Amino acid sequence: MKKVILTALLSSCMFSCGVNSVSHDVIKNDLRAPAYPLVTIDPYTSAWSMTDNLYDSPVRHWTGKDFPLIGVIKVDGEPYRFMGTEELEMKPIAPTSQQGDWTGRYTTDKPSGDWTAPTYNDSMWKTDRGAFGTMENEPTAKTQWGTRNIWVRRVVDINEALDGRPVYLEFSNDDDAVFYINGVKIYSTGSTCNKNKMVKLPDEAVAAIKPGENLIAAECVNPVGNGLLDFGLLIPKDMNTVLGRTAEQTSVDVQATQTHYTFKCGPVDLALTFSAPLFTDDFDVMSRPVNYITYNVESEDGKKHDIELYFEASPRWALDQPYQQSQSEAYEKNGLVYLKTGSKEQDILAKRGDHICIDWGYFYMVAPKAEVVYGVGASADLRRRFVDGEAVDGAVAGENETGNLAMVRDCGDVKNVSGKLMIGYDDIYSIQYFGENLRPYWNADGDKTIESQFEAADREYDALIDRCYAFDKKLMEDAAAAGGKEYAELCALAYRQAIAAHKLVKSPKGEILWFSKENDSNGSIGTVDITYPTAPMFLYYNTELAKGLMNHIFEYSESGRWTKPFPAHDVGTYPQANGQTYGGDMPIEEGGNMLIVTAAVCDRENSTEYARKHWDVLTTWTDYLVEYGLDPENQLCTDDFAGHFAHNTNLSVKAILGIAAYARMAEMQDMPEVAEKYYAIARNYAKEWQKMADDGDHYRLTFDKENTWSQKYNMVWDKLLGLDIFPDDVVNKELDYYLTSQNRYGLPLDNRETYTKSDWILWTATMAGNDSTFNAFVKPLHKFYGETIDRVPMSDWVFTDKPNRRGFMARAVVGGVFIKMLAEDINKK
């Protein structure tokens, strides 16, 4: 692996001219990421660049909603935009359901003829309000849609002259949708689900728009799960911009805790680093809701240049929808300047759902008072003032009811200069837990202020940045030693995503609760079959977090709130953890998951204290697996997107290993009779499994279907936990068959479709007994992430025959990538 030297920008004070530059070794990540992590605090404050160049698109939340954050450097009077885009203020000419009311005609029976044409006779179709969707789980749905297909026709009046302005379609879809205007196709989503996505209409679609009545038509297919269809049209209010010239990006590098960029800006070079000190062994720092943006400017020609830097953030960081009213202000405290914005409503923890952004609490951009000019106001005015050399310090005392936040540093004539600013979020309350609102971990007792967190982040900056560089380098070295360069690059990309898909709080009993949000799948909180694939990362780094993934599920059963003889699927919809909201149970899946991960915790800690604490409920779950696990009846498993099916051989493996995991914990507690009983059951089931699943040179997808196959990724725990339930030749036969079944971008999940799950590929690969077989599975997956055309945070549900995701993004389950590092660490011991 090649190493590069990056200059760490360790100034003693933010935005000051004093520089204490220190060089750090960085093992460069050569992977072109699908999306680049910028600010990663939790599921709500999670910002990404979804283009190769930082200035080619707006900074966005993982959902795709804009989180406008702009950076500009002015060199000798010439501005160069290096981050974000000048977002144009949009106005609806046909509102979505979140912007206003709309009605449409619809049918769930396939129409004949050209149903997209304005002249089509739709008088027999029903009429109702949009959006159409699963009303129980989609808060924007106004009309229930529960069938597989829907066709919608909507008449809109467009009386405003377009005057050459672009027209945008804003839409939400779950799942596959196609949109038309006056019979002309606008856009097809393929198999990708979206919320509030905007696409520019092609020229031929714009040409089809006429003054007066126009027809927008859409069809949507929902094979499984929730459904949603909503759409409208937007145009810019005006087309004026002042930051057209961009810097030239020369490199980008994703490390575990940092993303490094470099730019050429005329006669100077700019280095920009986004740092998130997410250290899993330091909960105070990890939960502190503050990230850093560090910059360094170096003269390329050895001459002094007049340097000014401009950073601007939008209230949309603290809003669910851009049309919500906000209030922004600026104030100073203890030598720091705070630019603050939030919604006017401040309806704390009122909303729940998947693609929901936070609209309570406050976003902050913070810098030292010295040498900083700051302002709150209209974005166009702030930018014009900066470009024209005028002060941006307008209304800063909270009198503006809304406004963007801007900071300017005038460095004067210099050869080099460095500094930093801080981005953070105070959510006030983070989670509602069985009716009680819980504060974030950093303020669990309610005795701290957000200002104290920024002051601590300022004081500890040098030390934390040193730790970031050291951690990043060690991760790349350790991961490469475990699985090679491509594997290490995937681990680095996954690290912040996995952590930022969680929120850390304390339960009323004082226990750690490490709540996952089921991003881009249904918004569930604390989902057990998210915990299971995510667990390897936290089993590797800190078992307290692995326990934090399960504590709420144990509490749910042991409190009597959940009375079934298997674990719940979840405890609610994020951020409301008041009880399961998912529409179906996964009895075998979740029982096996909880038993296996609990056993893994005990193994890592070399102690059964955690298991003993929950032994009664673990026993109940194990006995359920004994009764029903060998040949599962028709039910969902973690791969629920594939639908219900019975006799699932991989689910049977999970049940068998869950029983064996219980036996292992009994053995560790010196309970020989219990251990012997359940080991015997597991081994007997494994023998039966081999007979029932055998399909010649591989094992089946389901016991009852010949000539089928699937990844048996659950078998990885047989060796990781030292259970030895299945013979080695079972794994070897499967792996040999898998190697003949791969496509360009990896191994399909099973024979039914060409899509796969990336976390399960890494688990399957980890079962290999040699590096060459492991890498044979990893390299195609690495290739996918480097070539995918879907520019979103890592997806774990992707196609293997084309560079597209099937669904899912930004999910915690990428923590499963760390299973190879976990396996190597276990082998050392």
Side-chain angles (χ1 to χ4, degrees):
M1 261 180 284
K2 61 183 178 181
K3 294 185 180 182
V4 298
I5 304 298
L6 292 182
T7 301
L9 318 171
L10 306 179
S11 55
S12 57
C13 62
M14 294 174 292
F15 285 113
S16 75
C17 292
V19 178
N20 177 21
S21 295
V22 177
S23 295
H24 293 88
D25 284 341
V26 175
I27 302 173
K28 190 174 186 308
N29 188 338
D30 293 317
L31 176 64
R32 187 233 63 178
Y36 294 92
L38 304 179
V39 178
T40 47
I41 293 175
D42 61 23
Y44 286 138
T45 308
S46 175
W48 300 72
S49 174
M50 300 185 184
T51 46
D52 289 339
N53 296 314
L54 185 58
Y55 45 72
D56 280 346
S57 68
V59 173
R60 291 191 167 108
H61 186 254
W62 63 259
T63 59
K65 295 179 181 180
D66 289 354
F67 269 11
L69 183 64
I70 290 178
V72 185
I73 183 171
K74 196 157 63 172
V75 182
D76 299 328
E78 185 69 38
Y80 299 85
R81 176 169 45 85
F82 57 82
M83 176 170 61
T85 60
E86 284 186 273
E87 72 279 4
L88 298 171
E89 188 176 357
M90 309 294 287
K91 65 177 181 179
I93 56 175
T96 67
S97 66
Q98 294 169 300
Q99 297 159 346
D101 292 329
W102 68 271
T103 60
R105 289 185 177 272
Y106 74 98
T107 181
T108 56
D109 297 321
K110 183 175 178 61
S112 59
D114 186 5
W115 62 274
T116 70
T119 57
Y120 183 82
N121 182 3
D122 59 12
S123 60
M124 300 301 292
W125 292 22
K126 297 177 183 178
T127 301
D128 220 322
R129 301 168 62 205
F132 299 86
T134 311
M135 295 180 68
E136 180 181 3
N137 295 315
E138 293 290 356
T140 61
K142 303 296 193 302
T143 298
Q144 176 65 23
W145 164 41
T147 60
R148 177 182 173 86
N149 299 85
I150 192 169
W151 291 262
V152 178
R153 288 166 52 86
R154 175 186 179 188
V155 175
V156 298
D157 285 322
I158 300 177
N159 296 312
E160 182 170 350
L162 299 180
D163 297 327
R165 287 175 289 178
V167 181
Y168 294 85
L169 174 73
E170 181 173 350
F171 61 92
S172 299
N173 68 289
D174 188 351
D175 291 5
D176 315 3
V178 186
F179 302 91
Y180 306 84
I181 188 160
N182 295 331
V184 177
K185 184 176 177 179
I186 298 173
Y187 185 74
S188 173
T189 67
S191 55
T192 300
C193 301
N194 300 280
K195 292 287 179 68
N196 303 106
K197 183 178 177 66
M198 283 202 310
V199 296
K200 186 178 178 181
L201 267 64
D203 292 343
E204 58 270 25
V206 175
I209 297 174
K210 61 185 188 297
E213 285 192 355
N214 293 262
L215 178 85
I216 309 174
E219 61 177 312
C220 192
V221 181
N222 181 37
V224 65
N226 296 329
L228 183 64
L229 181 62
D230 192 11
F231 51 88
L233 297 176
L234 303 158
I235 59 172
K237 284 188 175 180
D238 61 59
M239 297 295 291
N240 296 325
T241 61
V242 296
L243 302 174
R245 184 168 184 173
T246 67
E248 178 188 349
Q249 184 175 305
T250 52
S251 72
V252 59
D253 176 17
V254 179
Q255 298 290 315
T257 66
Q258 303 185 98
T259 302
H260 306 291
Y261 287 93
T262 59
F263 306 89
K264 179 176 173 56
C265 311
V268 305
D269 294 327
L270 168 67
L272 193 74
T273 294
F274 297 84
S275 303
L278 297 175
F279 306 121
T280 56
D281 60 349
D282 189 336
F283 289 173
D284 290 333
V285 171
M286 187 183 78
S287 69
R288 181 184 296 158
V290 179
N291 280 194
Y292 302 102
I293 302 176
T294 309
Y295 61 86
N296 184 54
V297 182
E298 294 281 350
S299 173
E300 193 178 60
D301 57 12
K303 299 177 182 178
K304 290 184 177 180
H305 295 278
D306 184 20
I307 302 296
E308 293 180 77
L309 287 132
Y310 174 90
F311 292 92
E312 178 196 320
S314 163
R316 292 180 66 175
W317 283 73
L319 303 176
D320 182 37
Q321 295 297 327
Y323 56 80
Q324 289 181 272
Q325 289 186 309
S326 63
Q327 49 193 4
S328 303
E329 63 173 312
Y331 62 94
E332 299 174 6
K333 186 173 183 180
N334 294 336
L336 294 176
V337 170
Y338 293 83
L339 301 188
K340 170 185 176 183
T341 188
S343 71
K344 292 186 71 174
E345 298 95 328
Q346 291 298 308
D347 201 354
I348 293 175
L349 294 172
K351 291 183 177 178
R352 68 179 190 179
D354 188 355
H355 287 243
I356 299 295
C357 285
I358 194 169
D359 59 4
W360 67 89
Y362 297 93
F363 168 84
Y364 290 84
M365 186 163 63
V366 178
K369 178 180 177 181
E371 300 185 31
V372 176
V373 178
Y374 52 92
V376 177
S379 57
D381 187 42
L382 291 168
R383 296 165 197 168
R384 182 194 59 77
R385 286 173 177 271
F386 173 69
V387 170
D388 293 346
E390 299 176 21
V392 298
D393 54 349
V396 298
E399 290 152 13
N400 280 15
E401 296 242 322
T402 186
N404 279 26
L405 318 175
M407 288 184 172
V408 176
R409 178 183 177 186
D410 185 350
C411 305
D413 290 328
V414 293
K415 289 185 178 180
N416 57 72
V417 66
S418 65
K420 64 183 182 294
L421 67 152
M422 296 181 287
I423 298 290
Y425 204 99
D426 181 7
D427 60 2
I428 306 175
Y429 287 93
S430 302
I431 301 293
Q432 187 174 91
Y433 187 59
F434 296 111
E436 182 172 347
N437 290 352
L438 303 182
R439 295 181 183 274
Y441 179 90
W442 64 267
N443 192 28
D445 297 325
D447 57 352
K448 294 184 174 65
T449 64
I450 190 63
E451 290 87 357
S452 72
Q453 299 306 291
F454 278 105
E455 290 173 15
D458 180 26
R459 288 192 308 269
E460 298 169 15
Y461 170 77
D462 289 354
L464 290 177
I465 293 298
D466 280 346
R467 287 176 66 185
C468 283
Y469 277 99
F471 182 88
D472 292 349
K473 183 171 183 287
K474 188 173 191 310
L475 181 144
M476 290 292 278
E477 290 174 339
D478 291 348
K485 181 179 185 297
E486 288 87 354
Y487 173 69
E489 292 179 342
L490 293 176
C491 289
L493 180 59
Y495 185 84
R496 271 175 285 171
Q497 176 173 318
I499 293 178
H502 293 85
K503 190 70 180 184
L504 186 67
V505 295
K506 281 186 179 179
S507 76
K509 295 180 178 179
E511 288 186 321
I512 292 295
L513 300 175
W514 186 221
F515 277 120
S516 63
K517 178 179 181 182
E518 199 168 333
N519 289 343
D520 199 44
S521 45
N522 69 358
S524 290
I525 184 171
T527 304
V528 177
D529 56 291
I530 295 293
T531 290
Y532 180 64
T534 303
M537 178 176 175
F538 303 114
L539 289 167
Y540 180 78
Y541 281 113
N542 188 344
T543 54
E544 289 303 313
L545 291 175
K547 290 186 280 191
L549 292 171
M550 298 186 288
N551 285 336
H552 57 281
I553 296 295
F554 282 119
E555 169 70 14
Y556 195 15
S557 283
E558 292 164 348
S559 68
R561 295 185 182 97
W562 180 261
T563 59
K564 298 178 182 180
F566 48 81
H569 169 271
D570 59 79
V571 289
T573 300
Y574 196 94
Q576 298 174 8
N578 296 320
Q580 179 171 308
T581 53
Y582 188 69
D585 295 330
M586 299 185 185
I588 305 301
E589 174 69 39
E590 311 303 21
N593 292 341
M594 290 294 292
L595 285 157
I596 289 169
V597 178
T598 301
V601 166
C602 294
D603 183 73
R604 294 291 285 169
E605 294 183 342
N606 195 28
S607 167
T608 58
E609 179 182 354
Y610 190 63
R612 286 198 304 272
K613 183 178 178 181
H614 304 294
W615 195 247
D616 287 347
V617 74
L618 288 170
T619 302
T620 298
W621 295 342
T622 303
D623 288 340
Y624 185 90
L625 297 184
V626 170
E627 185 170 358
Y628 298 105
L630 174 59
D631 188 4
E633 60 188 17
N634 189 37
Q635 62 185 274
L636 291 172
C637 69
T638 186
D639 303 317
D640 53 356
F641 48 82
H644 292 73
F645 62 101
H647 316 299
N648 183 338
T649 60
N650 189 46
L651 188 58
S652 175
V653 169
K654 179 172 290 184
I656 294 167
L657 294 181
I659 296 166
Y662 178 83
R664 172 70 177 133
M665 291 184 284
E667 183 179 48
M668 292 177 69
Q669 292 180 78
D670 196 23
M671 301 168 64
E673 292 182 359
V674 174
E676 183 178 351
K677 172 185 173 181
Y678 286 94
Y679 270 135
I681 292 171
R683 292 186 178 115
N684 180 59
Y685 281 4
K687 292 177 182 177
E688 290 298 311
W689 185 95
Q690 293 173 66
K691 297 175 186 175
M692 296 161 60
D694 188 64
D695 209 25
D697 59 354
H698 65 279
Y699 295 94
R700 299 174 183 177
L701 167 69
T702 62
F703 291 124
D704 60 331
K705 288 186 173 64
E706 297 180 354
N707 301 316
T708 61
W709 66 272
S710 64
Q711 290 190 49
K712 310 302 188 299
Y713 53 82
N714 287 317
M715 283 188 181
V716 71
W717 293 104
D718 197 15
K719 287 294 183 287
L720 292 186
L721 295 179
L723 303 174
D724 294 327
I725 300 299
F726 289 92
D728 289 343
D729 59 8
V730 172
V731 172
N732 293 335
K733 183 161 78 168
E734 282 289 276
L735 291 175
D736 288 344
Y737 186 81
Y738 298 159
L739 290 173
T740 70
S741 305
Q742 292 208 101
N743 293 322
R744 175 179 175 85
Y745 295 116
L747 179 66
L749 183 64
D750 56 50
N751 62 274
R752 294 173 295 174
E753 299 280 355
T754 60
Y755 59 60
T756 194
K757 289 284 273 85
S758 59
D759 43 355
W760 302 148
I761 285 182
L762 265 298
W763 290 33
T764 292
T766 299
M767 295 190 294
N770 57 77
D771 292 342
S772 62
T773 302
F774 176 82
N775 286 321
F777 292 114
V778 171
K779 285 180 181 294
L781 186 61
H782 181 275
K783 186 179 184 67
F784 172 85
Y785 286 118
E787 295 182 359
T788 179
I789 61 176
D790 294 326
R791 306 305 298 273
V792 297
M794 290 178 81
S795 170
D796 56 288
W797 186 18
V798 303
F799 287 104
T800 61
D801 58 346
K802 56 186 175 182
N804 297 97
R805 70 183 181 107
R806 175 59 182 87
F808 302 164
M809 61 180 166
R811 301 208 311 164
V813 301
V814 297
V817 170
F818 287 81
I819 196 161
K820 178 64 171 175
M821 293 180 71
L822 176 65
E824 292 300 307
D825 196 54
I826 290 172
N827 289 338
K828 292 176 184 176
K829 297 175 182 179

